[in-house]
Amino acid sequence: MGVISTKSFRHTLFEDAQALLTGTLFVALGVALFKQVGMLTGGTVGIAFLLHYTSGWPFGLLFFCINLPFYWLAYRRMGLAFTLKTVAAVTLMSTLSEALPRLVQFSQINTWFAAIAGGLMIGAGMLILFRHRASLGGLNILVLYLQDSRGWRAGYMQAALDASILLASMAVVSPERIGYSLLGMAAMNAALAINHRPGRYMAV
């Protein structure tokens, strides 16, 4: 069977809405697993984790505020529709990350399971958002913008920023948790690399 082309249709408003809700719910569940065992990850989620662990401020509020400066870059590079969907996804993610502990409570979680399952859930959630031309904002928009404007390699910049976040977190997170965090990031990136095929699934 051949690959079904997506160029002949656009996602409906209802399809986009359910994708934003489903994708952000998956990511929020993965983040809840990471948070329960004291892990973190890269990007703006990692920055929000780091600030949450050091300040005690709510993760959802920190994640929402950190993303504010990146919206104008999203608009300049990806357009209005992408930006509005990203704002909606970030807002949902911020809300769900604070609501889930009141709805779901984990009495005991194996750290290996949290790292792998949490990473896979975050990757799956991001994949859903990508296929509906949305994101969780943040540093990935910045590195793509710098790649376009300065010619800097986005992959290298993203890796360097994520490594910097992990290095900074060593002041408040144990080396063991850093190791588990790396495992979680590997699971997340594997889910994206194996399942994401740019241009194959994304409706435009």
Side-chain angles (χ1 to χ4, degrees):
M1 294 179 63
V3 176
I4 298 175
S5 172
T6 59
K7 294 184 177 180
S8 60
F9 71 93
R10 293 177 183 270
H11 289 128
T12 65
L13 182 62
F14 174 78
E15 290 170 340
D16 281 339
Q18 68 81 28
L20 291 178
L21 178 58
T22 305
T24 53
L25 178 59
F26 275 32
V27 175
L29 285 169
V31 166
L33 290 176
F34 280 14
K35 185 178 177 182
Q36 182 71 20
V37 296
M39 290 169 48
L40 70 162
T41 186
T44 47
V45 174
I47 296 174
F49 263 133
L50 182 58
L51 293 176
H52 169 70
Y53 291 148
T54 55
S55 69
W57 291 6
F59 171 87
L61 176 62
L62 290 167
F63 180 72
F64 180 84
C65 293
I66 291 168
N67 273 288
L68 292 176
F70 296 102
Y71 291 139
W72 75 275
L73 290 178
Y75 174 73
R76 290 187 60 179
R77 189 182 190 278
M78 304 296 291
L80 180 61
F82 174 87
T83 305
L84 291 176
K85 290 178 186 178
T86 296
V87 172
V90 169
T91 303
L92 277 170
M93 170 66 185
S94 301
T95 303
L96 287 171
S97 64
E98 294 302 315
L100 280 178
R102 300 181 179 89
L103 302 174
V104 179
Q105 295 184 359
F106 303 103
S107 60
Q108 182 177 354
I109 302 179
N110 179 276
T111 309
W112 288 94
F113 174 82
I116 296 172
L120 291 175
M121 293 188 72
I122 292 172
M126 292 175 66
L127 181 65
I128 293 172
L129 294 175
F130 291 165
R131 291 184 181 178
H132 286 259
R133 295 188 61 81
S135 78
L136 289 174
L139 296 179
N140 60 336
I141 294 174
L142 174 62
V143 297
L144 290 172
Y145 176 81
L146 291 174
Q147 179 174 260
D148 287 348
S149 61
R150 303 286 182 88
W152 299 351
R153 296 288 296 273
Y156 293 151
M157 285 188 291
Q158 186 71 57
L161 289 169
D162 288 346
S164 299
I165 294 169
L166 289 178
L167 286 174
S169 68
M170 294 183 72
V172 293
V173 179
S174 70
E176 180 184 15
R177 297 304 179 196
I178 296 294
Y180 284 121
S181 298
L182 288 171
L183 177 61
M185 291 171 67
M188 177 188 69
N189 288 322
L192 288 171
I194 293 171
N195 294 286
H196 184 43
R197 296 292 187 271
R200 181 179 295 182
Y201 304 110
M202 185 181 291
V204 296

